[in-house]
């Protein structure tokens, strides 16, 4: 039997690409691909161009790894931010969540992920070494560990703590105000604000 039922190659490839997107299953991928196929050419190509532009024009801040146009980001550049405090988060979405509070005046460090052995993500895949160098360069008095309050977030925080331990900088962890297992990006401002406000210094014994 021939594979007559299989869509021709470019369509099959588009379905495969859509399937890679988070939360998109086989059926949705197929529906999206056929939608693109039926769309006017200009509309379909606008999607392709938007995807290309986001990859070409948006880069990472070389200091904190938050999204930027490739240069130093607006937060790192702002003259009124407290440069002695660095809040370490997993992803740019978490920076946006903390910024929504409007109360945090320090800087950030985006790890660009979390330690997740099951997904093949180790500590060396994150920006931990860049953070260590940033703190070692001086001027930072407190590093707040703002990774998610779940198993992988806690594990990631531990790796960061270990990397910073020899530097003698104060390391704090956001409070457990956020229900365990829920994500920073979805936490309400009140809960997130309380978690940041109630951060606790980690005992020396825990830091080595
Ligand atoms: Zn930055």
């Amino acid at each position: 039997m021939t594979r007559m039922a299989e869509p021709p190659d470019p369509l099959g490839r588009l379905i495969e690409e859509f399937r890679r997107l988070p939360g998109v299953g086989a059926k949705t991928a197929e529906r999206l691909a056929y939608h693109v196929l039926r769309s006017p050419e200009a509309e379909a190509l606008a999607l392709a161009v938007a995807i290309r532009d986001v990859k070409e024009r948006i880069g990472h801040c070389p200091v904190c790894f938050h999204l930027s146009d490739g240069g130093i980001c607006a937060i790192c550049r702002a003259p009124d931010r407290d440069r002695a405090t660095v809040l370490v988060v997993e992803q740019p979405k978490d920076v946006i969540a903390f910024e929504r509070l409007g109360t945090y005046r320090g800087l950030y460090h985006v790890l660009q992920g979390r330690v997740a052995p099951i997904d093949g993500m180790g500590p060396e895949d994150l920006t931990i070494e860049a953070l260590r160098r940033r703190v070692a360069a001086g001027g930072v008095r407190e590093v707040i560990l703002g990774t998610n309050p779940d198993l992988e977030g806690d594990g990631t925080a531990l790796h960061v703590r270990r990397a910073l331990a020899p530097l003698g900088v104060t390391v704090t962890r956001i409070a457990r105000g956020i229900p365990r297992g829920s994500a920073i990006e979805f936490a309400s401002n009140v809960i997130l604000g309380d978690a940041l406000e109630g951060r606790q210094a980690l005992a020396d014994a825990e830091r080595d």
Side-chain angles (χ1 to χ4, degrees):
M1 215 169 144
T2 54
R3 299 170 69 209
M4 288 298 284
E6 295 286 310
D9 190 47
L11 190 60
R13 259 178 52 214
L14 186 58
I15 292 171
E16 276 311 299
E17 291 301 328
F18 278 130
R19 277 199 70 173
R20 290 173 204 264
L21 300 176
V24 175
K27 276 224 161 66
T28 305
E30 218 172 281
R31 203 168 64 235
L32 290 171
Y34 279 100
H35 171 79
V36 169
L37 185 65
R38 282 192 309 266
S39 299
E41 186 170 348
E43 200 178 292
L45 289 182
L47 171 67
V49 169
I51 291 171
R52 192 197 58 203
D53 283 356
V54 87
K55 293 312 290 180
E56 281 181 0
R57 293 196 196 156
I58 301 188
H60 295 109
C61 171
V63 178
C64 74
F65 295 90
H66 185 39
L67 301 175
S68 80
D69 57 8
I72 294 178
C73 76
I75 298 171
C76 285
R77 275 201 319 259
D80 59 337
R81 306 288 301 216
D82 165 22
R83 287 167 192 282
T85 309
V86 175
L87 175 53
V88 178
V89 297
E90 294 175 19
Q91 48 172 352
K93 275 189 211 165
D94 299 334
V95 171
I96 291 157
F98 280 110
E99 281 299 284
R100 224 170 24 225
L101 295 177
T103 54
Y104 177 68
R105 303 310 304 154
L107 301 182
Y108 293 91
H109 190 91
V110 180
L111 293 171
Q112 294 194 324
R114 57 206 333 236
V115 177
I118 207 160
D119 300 325
M121 285 289 279
E124 66 285 352
D125 297 312
L126 308 179
T127 63
I128 297 175
E129 174 54 22
L131 173 66
R132 193 196 62 74
R133 274 186 268 119
R134 190 176 166 192
V135 173
V140 177
R141 278 197 304 274
E142 180 184 357
V143 173
I144 306 166
L145 301 176
T147 52
N148 277 296
D150 52 25
L151 204 63
E152 290 176 346
D154 284 342
T156 304
L158 186 65
H159 280 284
V160 175
R161 260 164 72 189
R162 283 187 184 143
L164 298 180
L167 302 176
V169 67
T170 298
V171 180
T172 58
R173 178 80 168 108
I174 55 168
R176 293 255 168 244
I178 303 165
R180 212 178 155 77
S182 71
I184 285 169
E185 62 177 299
F186 303 123
S188 76
N189 279 3
V190 173
I191 286 175
L192 202 54
D194 285 352
L196 186 60
E197 197 62 34
R199 64 187 186 268
Q200 290 169 349
L202 300 170
D204 281 349
E206 283 185 279
R207 263 195 260 141
D208 55 34

